[in-house]
Each structure stands twice: as structure tokens, then as C-alpha cells.
């Protein structure tokens, strides 16, 4: 790995420019070698994003001031309280499956990078973001064999362009039960609550943590005992990878939370296809389960050895010049899985790579691919290069996080952001007016949704910043949730690499 050192305004900076990060493209290397972005600022804004996605009664300390209360009667038609939680993206539906994944990733970030997040002054805000989603999941699990998985009619919602505060589309309820199971949704909710338990277990208020763990155990038993795919009981965010990845993922989290041998036995006794996995997403959790199991294997649980081998295959599929690469990078060095909300796969891959590099460093291990051996530092640097790309070190010189840097998306595909705040335009903006007046305009969004990370550029690093191009301009909670941990890891890596400031002559201010 060739590492370049950049000298910028009299401070020696290490730039995370690696031979594996740009496929040997010198121009791309030079684009990336511009000095590190302000990770602390990016982390704070990535977490702030979740306040703009809130549903329900907003608290007095709400920081995204352009938002107001919304969906205050969710669940009433079935006498349950389903208020709160998050709108997943630019629409006004609450999808429990990806919401739970979001909570799991935020919790994982808080667990693995607690010190870095705290150093940035963001641990309290991150915990608040986790609790806002976890509270909803607790309310949605209304009996041992019932989990509400969606609030709102997705088809009707997508036919309207209106602020969440103005919603008049049906708040239809969807749920999984013993008669209509969805093991994926139950398993992911179990994972989310077990991970959240690990975040809150040392608090003085033990009641909340106890509720999280009890519900997590219950949801795992529900999903495992009444096996059935969510694909047959959901209208949106249906699973295509099957349910075993969620059951393995949740059992790994429950073992980490409880050390109960039955969850370790579940990991040891159950095995999925050995075919390579090349994504980690709201649908496919296998790489995440492999990561957690590998940590346990390196901690002495030798019966989980196969998980490390499978995880190494996942990592090799991502790393350029590995000889096993399946996910290619754009000319500018961005991991590119598909031309539709690609950033969700970039951020989740960066999170797994970051956590694995940390685990490898602690154990003194590495990853062997067919063409090369990769050290923990090399893997960490490649993960950081993905964070840096998102924050502006790319061929367009554009940050894909709203409100970060001077150049960022101004016309994101987001209803609440694109229509003036209800605090500015107090009247109701009906469905059709939104479509005719606010969706098609080329004007920037009136509300800057700070921290929102959009779907991202195409495979040639191009981005049109068009509100109507949802696959590239729409943000989503699970993009930001993965980014939080990857960004915190990059911040920690930068601290390790920085040397004391050196008083250099001003004439060197832009040299390499």
C-alpha cells in the first residue's frame, strides 16, 4: 500500500490515499489526496439528520426546527399506540423492517465507537436517536406473536407530495402474527433491541434496558418458532434474501448481550449457503452476522471458525486488487453495487470494513485474498476513503451530505424538505399542489435537511441534483445509520495517524 503525505497550510496531514482505493488510477488518487474532512462536524450532522425524520410529538429540544408534529393518531384504529419512530426516507410511511435495521446500526456504532462519538460530543445525541427508534419498536411489539411492521399506505402516500405535518393519506396498519409470519422483520427487531440494550444497559434506569432485552428475546422466539418469509406478508420493503440471515444476526446480538449458550448454539448449528455475499443491507444481514460471529471466534469460540472464512470472502469481494473483487469502484473510488440508492451499500460496507479492521488490529490478524494479503490498516484506510468520498473528496468535489461543505445536494427527493415549513407556510399544502408546485421546481429545497446523505452518484461519479431522480437524490435512515459508525471510525483513525503540527514555510501551503 502506497501512502501519500499531503502538506496543507503548514500542518502535516495523512490522507488515506491507498493503492487499493482507486484501482491504480493516478487522477483518482490525486482527487482523494486532499486532506481529511472534518469528521466531527460530519458525525454531528449525520446524527442530526434523524431529528428531521421523526414522526410523532416532537420534544421541546427538537433541533430540526423546520419540522412539526405529525401522525399523532397512528395505531388508533386498532387501539394501539404506534406514534413516534422514523419516516424511512423522503416519504411519510413508517416501515418497521428498515427502521429496525437503522436502530441496530446506530446501536452498533455507539457500541464499537463510543469513545470517538463521545470525544466529538455526540454520544448523547446518538443515544437519543437510538431511543427514538427503539421506543417505537417496543410499542409495535404488542404481544408475543404480534409485531406491527408498517404504518401508512405506501401506494397512497407515493401518490401524494405533502409534508408529514399535512398528511391525509390512510395510516393503514400492517403486522406479522403467528398466522401471517415474517421472520425477517421479527429477527431484525430482535437484533435492534438487543443492540440497543447494550447501549443502555449500564444506565441508572435499568427498567428501559430490561424492557429492551425482554422484547428482544420474545421477538427472536417469535421469528424462529413461526418461520415464514416477510415477502409474503408485506407490501413494501419485502425480503428477498430469506429469513435465516436475520435469525443468525439477531442470535449473534442476543449472544453478545446475554452470553446465553442457546444463542451461541444457534449460530453454531445453523448454516446458510456458502455462496459469496457481496452486500450488507436492510434485506441481507449475513455479513453483519459473520462480523459479530467472527468477533466471538477471535475471542475464543472456535466453533464459529467458518464465519471468519465467510467474512473474509465478503471483504475480498470489496477490496480492489484483491483478486476476488466483485463490487467495483467508480473512477473516483466509490464502491458501486448498483445504480439505485447505491450509497446504502457503500456506507454499510464501510461500517463492516471499519469494525473488522479494528477487530483484526486487536487480534493481530489480517485478511488473505487470492492476490494479496490486507492488513488491518489497509482495510481501515479503504473504509475511510469511502467516507471521504461521501464528504467531498470525489471527482465532482461535491459532498453527498446535505449541509456539509460548500457544495452539496440542494434538491433532495424529500417531501418535508422540499415544501416550506409549516412554521413558514402555515396553511395545509394538499397532495396535488405538492406535485404541481413543489416537486418539479428547479429551486433549491426551502428546508435544508442537514446531515441527509442522498442515494449518490452514478457509476461514472456523476450526480444531477434533481428532486425527481429519487434513486440518486433521496436520503434514507439506513444510509445515515451506517455512516455514523464509519465516520466515527475514520475520525479515530485520523487521530492515530496525525503527527504534531510542524511549522513549515508558507510557500509549501499547496505542495504534495
Amino acid at each position: 500500500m502506497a501512502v501519500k503525505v499531503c502538506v496543507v497550510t503548514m500542518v502535516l496531514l495523512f490522507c488515506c490515499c491507498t493503492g487499493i482505493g482507486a484501482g491504480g488510477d493516478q487522477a483518482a488518487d490525486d482527487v482523494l489526496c486532499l486532506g481529511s474532512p472534518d469528521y466531527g462536524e460530519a458525525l454531528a450532522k449525520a446524527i442530526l439528520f434523524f431529528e428531521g425524520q421523526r414522526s410523532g410529538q416532537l420534544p421541546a429540544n427538537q433541533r430540526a426546527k423546520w419540522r412539526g408534529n405529525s401522525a399523532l393518531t397512528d395505531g388508533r384504529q386498532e387501539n394501539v399506540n404506534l406514534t413516534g419512530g422514523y419516516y424511512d426516507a423522503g416519504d411519510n410511511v413508517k416501515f418497521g423492517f428498515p427502521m429496525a435495521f437503522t436502530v441496530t446500526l446506530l446501536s452498533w456504532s455507539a457500541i464499537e465507537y463510543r469513545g470517538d462519538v463521545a470525544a466529538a460530543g455526540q454520544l448523547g445525541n446518538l443515544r437519543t436517536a437510538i431511543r427514538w427508534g427503539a421506543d417505537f419498536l417496543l410499542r409495535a411489539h404488542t404481544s408475543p406473536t404480534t409485531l406491527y411492521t408498517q404504518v401508512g399506505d405506501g401506494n397512497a402516500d407515493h401518490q401524494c407530495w405533502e409534508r408529514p405535518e399535512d398528511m391525509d393519506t390512510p395510516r393503514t396498519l400492517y403486522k406479522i402474527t403467528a398466522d401471517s409470519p415474517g421472520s425477517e422483520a421479527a429477527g431484525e427487531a430482535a437484533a435492534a433491541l438487543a443492540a440497543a440494550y447494550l447501549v443502555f444497559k449500564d444506565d441508572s434506569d435499568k427498567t428501559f434496558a430490561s424492557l429492551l432485552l425482554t422484547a428482544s428475546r420474545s421477538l427472536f422466539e417469535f421469528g424462529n418458532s413461526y418461520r415464514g418469509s416477510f415477502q409474503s406478508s408485506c407490501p413494501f420493503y419485502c425480503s428477498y434474501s430469506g429469513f435465516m440471515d436475520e435469525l443468525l444476526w439477531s442470535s449473534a446480538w442476543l449472544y453478545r448481550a446475554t452470553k446465553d449458550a442457546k444463542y451461541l448454539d444457534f449460530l453454531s448449528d445453523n448454516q446458510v449457503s456458502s455462496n459469496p455475499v457481496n452486500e450488507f443491507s436492510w434485506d441481507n444481514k449475513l455479513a453483519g452476522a459473520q462480523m459479530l460471529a467472527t468477533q466471538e471466534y477471535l475471542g475464543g469460540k472456535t466453533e464459529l471458525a467458518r464465519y471468519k472464512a465467510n467474512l473474509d470472502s465478503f471483504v475480498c469481494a470489496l477490496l480492489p486488487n484483491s483478486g476476488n473483487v466483485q463490487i467495483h469502484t467508480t473512477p473516483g473510488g466509490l464502491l458501486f453495487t448498483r445504480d439505485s440508492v447505491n450509497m446504502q451499500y457503500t456506507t454499510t460496507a464501510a461500517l463492516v470494513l471499519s469494525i473488522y479492521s479494528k477487530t483484526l488490529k486487536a487480534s493481530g490478524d489480517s485478511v488473505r485474498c487470492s492476490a494479496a494479503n490486507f492488513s488491518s490498516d489497509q482495510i481501515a484506510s479503504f473504509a475511510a476513503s469511502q467516507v471521504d468520498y461521501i464528504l467531498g473528496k470525489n471527482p465532482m468535489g461535491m459532498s453527498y451530505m446535505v449541509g456539509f461543505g460548500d457544495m452539496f445536494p440542494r434538491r433532495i427527493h424529500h417531501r418535508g424538505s422540499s415544501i416550506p415549513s409549516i412554521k413558514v407556510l402555515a396553511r395545509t399544502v394538499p397532495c396535488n399542489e405538492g406535485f404541481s408546485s413543489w416537486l418539479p421546481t428547479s429551486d433549491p429545497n426551502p428546508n435544508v435537511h442537514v446531515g441527509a446523505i442522498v442515494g449518490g452518484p452514478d457509476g461514472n461519479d456523476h450526480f444531477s441534483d434533481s428532486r425527481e431522480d429519487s434513486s440518486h437524490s433521496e436520503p434514507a435512515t439506513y444510509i445515515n445509520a451506517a455512516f455514523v459508525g464509519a465516520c466515527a471510525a475514520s475520525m479515530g483513525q485520523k487521530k492515530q495517524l496525525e503527527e504534531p503540527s510542524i511549522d513549515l514555510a508558507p510557500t509549501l501551503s499547496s505542495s504534495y
Side-chain angles (χ1 to χ4, degrees):
M1 178 184 69
V3 178
K4 298 181 181 179
V5 178
C6 302
V7 181
V8 182
T9 60
M10 300 183 292
V11 178
L12 191 64
L13 298 177
F14 286 75
C15 300
C16 299
C17 301
T18 71
I20 65 170
D25 188 312
Q26 182 62 47
D29 268 351
D30 291 340
V31 166
L32 293 174
C33 194
L34 298 173
S36 298
D38 187 335
Y39 296 123
E41 178 191 350
L43 181 67
K45 290 179 175 179
I47 297 169
L48 174 59
F49 161 77
F50 290 94
E51 297 193 19
Q53 295 298 117
R54 284 172 169 170
S55 179
Q57 181 79 38
L58 302 183
N61 62 355
Q62 169 80 10
R63 295 179 295 162
K65 299 296 186 183
W66 50 276
R67 283 296 320 284
N69 300 331
S70 62
L72 298 180
T73 62
D74 279 356
R76 183 174 293 177
Q77 64 267 48
E78 294 190 16
N79 296 313
V80 293
N81 178 8
L82 296 177
T83 60
Y86 293 112
Y87 304 116
D88 79 300
D91 52 17
N92 299 323
V93 182
K94 293 189 296 201
F95 298 102
F97 189 30
M99 191 194 305
F101 185 53
T102 293
V103 172
T104 313
L105 295 183
L106 287 174
S107 299
W108 203 7
S109 301
I111 293 163
E112 295 286 348
Y113 300 107
R114 179 187 175 92
D116 295 307
V117 175
Q122 293 302 313
L123 187 58
N125 289 326
L126 178 53
R127 285 163 55 90
T128 297
I130 294 166
R131 182 154 187 166
W132 192 272
D135 279 339
F136 176 84
L137 295 175
L138 286 174
R139 288 194 292 273
H141 182 41
T142 56
S143 83
T145 57
T146 305
L147 175 68
Y148 284 86
T149 56
Q150 183 174 320
V151 183
D153 184 326
N155 289 312
D157 181 87
H158 292 166
Q159 294 302 312
C160 280
W161 193 265
E162 56 189 359
R163 301 172 297 200
E165 294 83 359
D166 293 334
M167 260 192 296
D168 55 6
T169 50
R171 301 303 287 170
T172 309
L173 304 181
Y174 299 84
K175 60 189 173 185
I176 56 172
T177 64
D179 295 327
S180 180
S183 295
E184 296 94 333
E188 185 55 59
L193 297 183
Y197 163 78
L198 288 166
V199 174
F200 294 104
K201 69 183 179 68
D202 294 327
D203 287 9
S204 58
D205 177 10
K206 301 298 184 183
T207 301
F208 180 60
S210 177
L211 288 172
L212 292 169
L213 188 57
T214 299
S216 176
R217 286 181 179 271
S218 174
L219 284 159
F220 177 80
E221 293 304 319
F222 174 31
N224 190 36
S225 299
Y226 298 90
R227 291 189 176 189
S229 179
F230 193 46
Q231 189 171 5
S232 62
S233 57
C234 77
F236 290 91
Y237 281 108
C238 306
S239 176
Y240 300 95
S241 65
F243 54 73
M244 187 52 71
D245 54 308
E246 276 82 16
L247 293 180
L248 290 169
W249 172 237
S250 54
S251 66
W253 275 113
L254 276 162
Y255 180 69
R256 186 165 183 176
T258 67
K259 298 306 177 186
D260 187 329
K262 73 177 183 180
Y263 300 116
L264 179 63
D265 290 343
F266 188 91
L267 287 170
S268 180
D269 295 344
N270 288 277
Q271 190 167 333
V272 295
S273 170
S274 60
N275 292 333
V277 175
N278 54 28
E279 72 176 49
F280 176 46
S281 67
W282 60 262
D283 181 24
N284 194 325
K285 318 296 165 41
L286 192 54
Q290 291 168 353
M291 181 67 254
L292 292 176
T294 296
Q295 289 177 314
E296 297 295 340
Y297 161 69
L298 293 174
K301 304 300 179 184
T302 56
E303 62 267 46
L304 302 180
R306 75 175 188 276
Y307 282 96
K308 183 181 187 304
N310 289 337
L311 180 61
D312 285 353
S313 295
F314 172 76
V315 171
C316 292
L318 301 174
L319 296 177
N321 302 327
S322 68
N324 304 74
V325 64
Q326 296 179 28
I327 302 301
H328 298 284
T329 55
T330 66
L334 180 72
L335 280 168
F336 197 79
T337 299
R338 64 196 69 176
D339 194 26
S340 178
V341 201
N342 177 69
M343 212 65 89
Q344 65 177 303
Y345 308 104
T346 303
T347 55
T348 52
L351 177 61
V352 171
L353 290 171
S354 297
I355 293 173
Y356 198 23
S357 69
K358 175 186 171 185
T359 303
L360 291 171
K361 196 175 190 73
S363 65
D365 214 327
S366 62
V367 171
R368 179 68 192 177
C369 304
S370 63
N373 195 62
F374 293 97
S375 69
S376 61
D377 287 341
Q378 286 177 302
I379 295 170
S381 292
F382 182 64
S385 76
Q386 301 304 299
V387 173
D388 291 351
Y389 183 108
I390 291 169
L391 296 178
K393 292 169 70 174
N394 55 65
M396 290 193 70
M398 179 175 197
S399 164
Y400 290 102
M401 174 186 282
V402 174
F404 186 89
D406 296 327
M407 185 177 177
F408 55 82
R410 305 279 179 170
R411 301 164 188 83
I412 67 173
H413 182 93
H414 190 279
R415 288 159 175 78
S417 173
S418 67
I419 302 173
S421 169
I422 195 169
K423 299 175 183 179
V424 174
L425 184 62
R427 68 172 177 83
T428 297
V429 178
C431 170
N432 291 333
E433 181 184 340
F435 267 126
S436 62
S437 299
W438 302 106
L439 173 63
T441 177
S442 61
D443 293 340
N445 286 3
N447 306 310
V448 179
H449 196 349
V450 174
I453 300 174
V454 297
D458 64 20
N460 293 311
D461 302 298
H462 297 149
F463 181 75
S464 61
D465 195 13
S466 169
R467 194 176 296 109
E468 297 188 76
D469 182 8
S470 62
S471 66
H472 297 102
S473 67
E474 187 171 16
T477 56
Y478 39 86
I479 298 177
N480 270 65
F483 180 85
V484 166
C487 184
S490 297
M491 183 168 58
Q493 184 191 24
K494 178 185 176 184
K495 289 178 182 176
Q496 293 176 20
L497 293 176
E498 281 181 342
E499 292 183 350
S501 298
I502 301 174
D503 187 10
L504 299 175
T507 55
L508 299 179
S509 62
S510 61
S511 61
Y512 286 85

